[in-house]
Amino acid sequence: MGGWAQTVAVLAGERGAALKRYAFLLCGDDAEADDLVQEALVRAFAKPGRRSAEEAEAYVRRIMLNRFLDTARRRRAWSRIRPLLRHDDLAPDQAGAVAATADVRAALARLSPRQRAATVLRYYEDLTVPQIAAALGCRPGTVKRYLSEAHGRLAELLADPTEEARWNPTRT
């Protein structure tokens, strides 16, 4: 096995689980994470090139991030059009009205795609603000805003109401 084929084998075999975890944190769905990893590997190695395993992994992660953001953008556009296609005889789905649980997956899913990506890159990938800015193609100040907004939103979503009542007895 030579060059790029060996790089693919090493990347998929040895780093596949880490890539899957990264994808799962981005998208929040196990099956979608598998698809994201597979699509990134196919795109990265569609044209054989000369990359080391480390360079290839960074490239695959970048592809995964871009694909996640592109998919989120497409879904948002589709969600604006979808109500126009709904038939009046169908009852609205009440599943969305169920109260959200206080787990991290649900909280991450409620962040904007950019906030979620910045949060995953910061706290999972342990990147610095300038590195995140380079990965997202924006300025460091924008990354700081995404992280601050995400932190506030996560704190709000994950707050324990009994803990707040204990510290602030005037609130019920």
Side-chain angles (χ1 to χ4, degrees):
M1 191 178 342
W4 70 271
Q6 185 175 5
T7 303
V8 173
V10 167
L11 194 59
E14 294 177 9
R15 299 295 299 154
L19 291 172
K20 167 89 183 274
R21 287 189 300 269
Y22 177 68
F24 180 80
L25 286 172
L26 284 173
C27 64
D29 180 70
D30 197 46
E32 194 174 333
D34 285 332
D35 292 344
L36 195 57
V37 171
Q38 183 176 358
E39 186 175 347
L41 287 170
V42 168
R43 284 180 178 266
F45 294 101
K47 297 177 191 169
R50 295 180 185 207
R51 290 187 183 92
S52 68
E54 295 81 23
E55 290 173 336
E57 183 176 354
Y59 185 55
V60 167
R61 285 177 184 263
R62 178 63 189 206
I63 291 171
M64 289 167 46
L65 175 63
N66 288 340
R67 294 300 300 161
F68 166 71
L69 293 173
D70 289 346
T71 302
R73 197 175 303 118
R74 264 188 254 113
R75 283 182 183 156
R76 189 172 52 245
W78 177 246
S79 69
R80 283 185 242 136
I81 297 169
R82 191 178 333 166
L84 301 174
L85 303 175
R86 179 181 283 165
H87 297 289
D88 291 335
D89 59 338
L90 296 177
D93 184 14
Q94 295 300 319
V98 176
T101 60
D103 72 351
V104 174
R105 284 180 46 202
L108 280 173
R110 296 184 67 182
L111 296 176
S112 74
R114 292 264 178 189
Q115 289 173 348
R116 184 176 182 153
T119 302
V120 168
L121 290 172
R122 178 69 181 116
Y123 296 105
Y124 182 72
E125 288 293 310
D126 200 28
L127 297 182
T128 64
V129 170
Q131 290 170 328
I132 297 169
L136 294 177
C138 61
R139 295 176 183 256
T142 305
V143 171
K144 290 177 186 178
R145 188 186 82 226
Y146 290 151
L147 290 171
S148 175
E149 290 171 350
H151 183 270
R153 184 76 173 129
L154 289 172
E156 173 188 314
L157 292 170
L158 298 173
D160 183 7
T162 59
E163 187 69 23
E164 183 181 340
R166 194 173 97 203
W167 291 104
N168 189 357
T170 58
R171 291 191 65 153
T172 55

